[in-house]
Amino acid sequence: MSFFDQLGTLLSKYDVVGAFMTNIQLTFWAALGSFVLGTVLALMRISPVPSLRWVGTAYVHTVRNTPLTIMMTFAILGVWTQFQLSFSHDFDTNFFVYAVIALSIYHSAFICEAIRSGVNTVPKGQAEAARAIGLGFFGTARLVIFPQALRGAITPLGNTLIALTKNSTVASVASVAEASGLMKSMIEFDANMVLAIFIMFAMGFVIIVVPIGALTTWSSRKLAVKR
């Protein structure tokens, strides 16, 4: 059987596209969740309130140094199994939601640092000028600092999104039927086509990740703040 015949056999036998769609859905929802939480954390880390800065810093350092696999396992075996916190009567839906939560919590720490790096590109004089005209901390952050910081943080945010896309494969630990889990099953039952399986899934992630990188590069150039 030729290489292309093997690809055709595998595609007809397994729902490869559906598995990759699960990874895309995990990435989409986790990207939204991590961006919202990461923005709040970044706000805490630049806050004038010491306790908020301490909490934000502790969160970022703790989460960044905790393996994602452990967090995913804890979400299923620790939270869902022990506390029976369910979002649906369907097991697959619960596993998916917990995987999104774990991915969001983990990557929010990296989103926070990406945004904070963008904040460091904003001249301090702009914040001082905003306070001079009567804006408080939240007003200054919302109207002056964050709009420029987000534009300056496009590249690290894009890199975090790429990492999130690849890390979505860890959801197999939470019994989510995504690409890496299907790949494992395919290798187990069709070990004679392991090369075709590997190339298929490698190319699948290349097709997903490369456009994200290209869009990030274009956006960073297009939206860069001119100083």
Side-chain angles (χ1 to χ4, degrees), residues 110-190:
F110 296 91
I111 293 290
C112 168
E113 291 303 277
I115 294 176
R116 199 164 70 94
S117 71
V119 170
N120 292 333
T121 67
V122 181
K124 294 183 178 179
Q126 296 197 21
E128 294 172 355
R131 287 193 292 269
I133 62 174
L135 288 177
F137 170 72
F138 289 105
T140 301
R142 181 173 62 89
L143 300 174
V144 179
I145 298 177
F146 271 35
Q148 297 181 73
L150 291 175
R151 292 174 66 180
I154 289 176
T155 297
L157 287 173
N159 292 336
T160 303
L161 179 59
I162 290 173
L164 170 57
T165 303
K166 294 185 287 187
N167 286 342
S168 65
T169 56
V170 181
S172 61
V173 175
S175 300
V176 177
E178 48 75 54
S180 68
L182 179 60
M183 179 180 176
K184 181 180 178 181
S185 298
M186 292 169 68
I187 292 175
E188 181 179 354
F189 293 105
D190 292 283

